[in-house]
Amino acid sequence: MKIEIKNLSFRYSKKSPNVLENLSYIFEGGNIYFLEGKNGVGKTTLGKIIMGLLKPTSGYISFDGEDSSKIKPADRAKKIGYMFQNPALQLFAPTVFDELAFPFEIMGTMDEHIKDNIQKALKKFNLYEAKDRSPLTMSYGEMQRLALAGISLRNVDFLILDEPSSALDEEGRNFLISYLEDFSRNGGGVILFSHDEDTLSKINGVIEIVLDNGSIR
Amino acid sequence: MLIVKDLALKYNEKTIFENLSFKLGKGEILAVKGKNGSGKTSLCLALAGLMRNEEKINLSGDIFYDGKNISGLSIFEKCLEVGLVFQNPENQIFSPLVTEEMVFAPENLAILREEMARRLQNTLKICGIEHLKSKKTSELSGGEKQLLALASVLTMQPKLLIVDEITSRIDSDNKEKVHGILKDYAKQGNSVIIVTHSEKDLEIADKLLLMGEKTKSED
């Protein structure tokens, strides 16, 4: 999958200055992009625009050549997995297992095969012992692992992860690196917004880019 | 002086930590490190007096601030002893404007207006967020919210400052700035606890508390 951003500008209100200014860039599947930038430069804003959570002031984004503004949210969610900077914003089910099962329950696609995949994901993401716990009683790092586990089950083409390692311990960070390397090796694309250079610059083949003054360089 | 004696926490009968004892003197910085779920954030909440025994939570042991058990302190007294910067600043920030957020605690501690204004200006400056002072808190980025959360606790001037993963969303320039702020705060005769997974954060600490299967403290 290819995400093309063309001449994108964004401001939060008519009175406020542009956060993003005439930004153009192409993110391609099979690559891991590590987008750095100072606090307040617009990294999270860019992620939300790609996900359709914010509308650009001007410019456009296409997914494999298709204008993303014409793609329904449900179809967009099938292509891209988005992890919020604050994972608590995307966790709401009564238990960890229910959280992972939710997208399949809502789409009416739950079956034995998916239940089996959820069990495998619980083990892979080191959440098996917590499967009956409420996600909101988990530590922040555990919530980050759960949010990523939920996305991993959906077989998306692209991952957009906002500060995914900020609360992970060393084991969790090493797991994240190997998970992302596997994901991109299988053709998936990854965009990481983060300040965690120590962890993310270790990823094999990572493409480091900088958001500065509203544009990517 | 902070003294923690035989502190233990069980959640739903599961032991999160136990036999936790340590001391922290004035001018010292303690780093707390450990695996996800080892109880670091719970420890912070307990030290700040924000955790109590409930249906599923069993907290035992003692926490003393200058010889006074935290269980006997009023909320007002606790605020003078300890200030906690939450791991997730969105759980802490609630005022519409940056400056309102920063003066909320001093106002409620009945700090005189002139002193409050002095603390506000001084903290905006040392945290490097003067450019944010007219902004709405909802407009801030994650890293800016972390800096505001820190600034808001600093205006209270607690004797013990606890920061939970304070540098996790902060850019490299601001990380150095935060390290300087914490070191200066300790040098002024206060104590600091920093919960972290970052090796760079550990470098500013005088002591280390490792949470996990074998919780232990090291000088």
Side-chain angles (χ1 to χ4, degrees):
Chain A
M1 181 179 164
K2 184 167 83 174
I3 299 174
E4 183 171 8
I5 300 173
K6 208 162 184 185
N7 302 327
L8 183 80
S9 293
F10 178 82
R11 60 175 183 248
Y12 276 93
S13 70
K14 283 181 183 173
K15 288 179 186 172
S16 61
N18 278 351
V19 178
L20 303 174
E21 180 84 49
N22 210 22
L23 186 155
S24 296
Y25 200 81
I26 297 173
F27 295 101
E28 294 190 84
N31 291 321
I32 302 175
Y33 301 87
F34 174 18
L35 187 68
E36 300 170 87
K38 289 191 181 296
N39 290 135
V41 83
K43 301 185 293 296
T44 297
T45 301
L46 176 60
K48 287 181 178 172
I49 293 172
I50 296 173
M51 278 313 293
L53 300 173
L54 292 171
K55 283 187 179 171
T57 308
S58 61
Y60 80 97
I61 297 172
S62 65
F63 299 159
D64 285 335
E66 188 181 357
D67 184 348
S68 71
S69 66
K70 297 194 170 106
I71 299 173
K72 290 178 187 166
D75 292 332
R76 196 184 291 244
K78 285 178 192 162
K79 294 175 188 289
I80 306 176
Y82 181 66
M83 184 171 158
F84 284 81
Q85 188 174 63
N86 176 4
L89 291 178
Q90 66 194 97
L91 305 174
F92 54 88
T95 70
V96 166
F97 184 92
D98 292 341
E99 187 68 46
L100 297 179
F102 178 78
F104 307 103
E105 298 283 5
I106 201 87
M107 288 188 288
T109 56
M110 178 60 88
D111 58 18
E112 287 308 310
H113 174 67
I114 288 174
K115 278 185 189 164
D116 189 42
N117 282 348
I118 292 174
Q119 295 293 342
K120 284 178 188 161
L122 285 167
K123 286 174 185 158
K124 184 175 176 181
F125 286 83
N126 197 15
L127 293 163
Y128 193 78
E129 278 186 28
K131 67 181 190 303
D132 299 320
R133 268 177 72 186
S134 159
L136 298 180
T137 65
M138 300 174 94
S139 76
Y140 208 80
E142 289 169 329
M143 284 189 197
Q144 286 185 319
R145 284 210 306 268
L146 175 57
L148 187 59
I151 294 167
S152 78
L153 284 163
R154 287 177 17 225
N155 292 324
V156 292
D157 298 322
F158 239 92
L159 297 174
I160 299 178
L161 310 179
D162 197 352
E163 303 278 6
S165 61
S166 63
L168 293 181
D169 57 26
E170 197 176 339
E171 193 183 325
R173 286 173 189 208
N174 289 335
F175 171 78
L176 177 70
I177 291 174
S178 65
Y179 176 78
L180 297 178
E181 286 174 350
D182 281 349
F183 185 81
S184 75
R185 213 175 287 128
N186 291 321
V190 183
I191 307 172
L192 302 163
F193 302 111
S194 179
H195 298 291
D196 186 6
E197 298 151 82
D198 292 350
T199 303
L200 303 178
S201 57
K202 287 181 194 162
I203 296 174
N204 271 329
V206 70
I207 299 168
E208 295 189 46
I209 49 180
V210 177
L211 183 59
D212 187 23
N213 276 329
S215 292
I216 288 177
R217 59 174 170 80
Chain B
M1 165 78 84
L2 165 70
I3 297 177
V4 175
K5 208 170 172 185
D6 298 329
L7 200 67
L9 174 68
K10 282 185 180 176
Y11 184 82
N12 262 351
E13 298 304 313
K14 186 189 173 195
T15 298
I16 307 298
F17 55 76
E18 60 187 348
N19 298 327
L20 183 57
S21 298
F22 64 90
K23 292 178 183 175
L24 187 64
K26 289 179 169 53
E28 290 184 324
I29 300 178
L30 170 73
V32 179
K33 194 184 173 195
K35 291 193 165 201
N36 290 138
S38 60
K40 301 183 297 296
T41 295
S42 298
L43 173 63
C44 294
L45 294 173
L47 293 176
L50 296 174
M51 182 174 279
R52 60 186 173 194
N53 287 318
E54 289 175 25
E55 191 188 339
K56 294 177 180 173
I57 299 171
N58 185 346
L59 181 70
S60 61
D62 292 295
I63 298 165
F64 297 96
Y65 287 102
D66 288 333
K68 294 168 284 185
N69 196 313
I70 193 170
S71 62
L73 299 180
S74 65
I75 293 175
F76 181 85
E77 288 167 325
K78 280 179 199 168
C79 289
L80 299 178
E81 294 294 342
V82 54
L84 168 62
V85 181
F86 282 32
Q87 183 175 38
N88 179 2
E90 280 155 18
N91 290 343
Q92 178 173 340
I93 295 168
F94 60 92
S95 302
L97 296 174
V98 165
T99 46
E100 285 174 349
E101 182 68 30
M102 289 178 65
V103 298
F104 179 83
E107 271 182 342
N108 281 278
L109 291 170
I111 305 293
L112 292 175
R113 195 155 285 277
E114 281 178 10
E115 169 62 10
M116 205 160 64
R118 190 194 67 76
R119 287 189 191 184
L120 174 67
Q121 294 307 326
N122 192 33
T123 312
L124 281 167
K125 191 175 173 187
I126 63 170
C127 290
I129 55 169
E130 288 157 304
H131 62 293
L132 302 178
K133 71 177 178 186
S134 307
K135 282 207 167 188
K136 293 178 184 169
T137 54
S138 58
E139 291 174 349
L140 304 183
S141 74
E144 288 169 339
K145 283 179 182 169
Q146 279 193 316
L147 289 171
L148 172 60
L150 172 63
S152 303
V153 174
L154 284 172
T155 57
M156 292 162 62
Q157 298 190 350
K159 292 178 197 165
L160 169 64
L161 172 67
I162 307 174
V163 291
D164 192 355
E165 302 268 7
I166 183 68
T167 59
S168 62
R169 300 179 190 172
I170 286 178
D171 64 44
S172 53
D173 290 353
N174 278 319
K175 273 179 190 160
E176 280 185 30
K177 182 173 285 174
V178 168
H179 288 159
I181 292 168
L182 299 181
K183 284 195 282 188
D184 286 348
Y185 199 69
K187 270 184 201 159
Q188 290 162 22
N190 302 297
S191 310
V192 175
I193 294 180
I194 178 166
V195 175
T196 186
H197 293 292
S198 158
E199 294 298 320
K200 283 179 185 160
D201 288 351
L202 295 180
E203 288 170 11
I204 66 163
D206 306 300
K207 292 178 166 182
L208 174 64
L209 175 66
L210 279 173
M211 306 277 291
E213 284 169 21
K214 291 176 184 172
T215 297
K216 59 178 182 179
S217 63
E218 296 171 358
D219 285 330

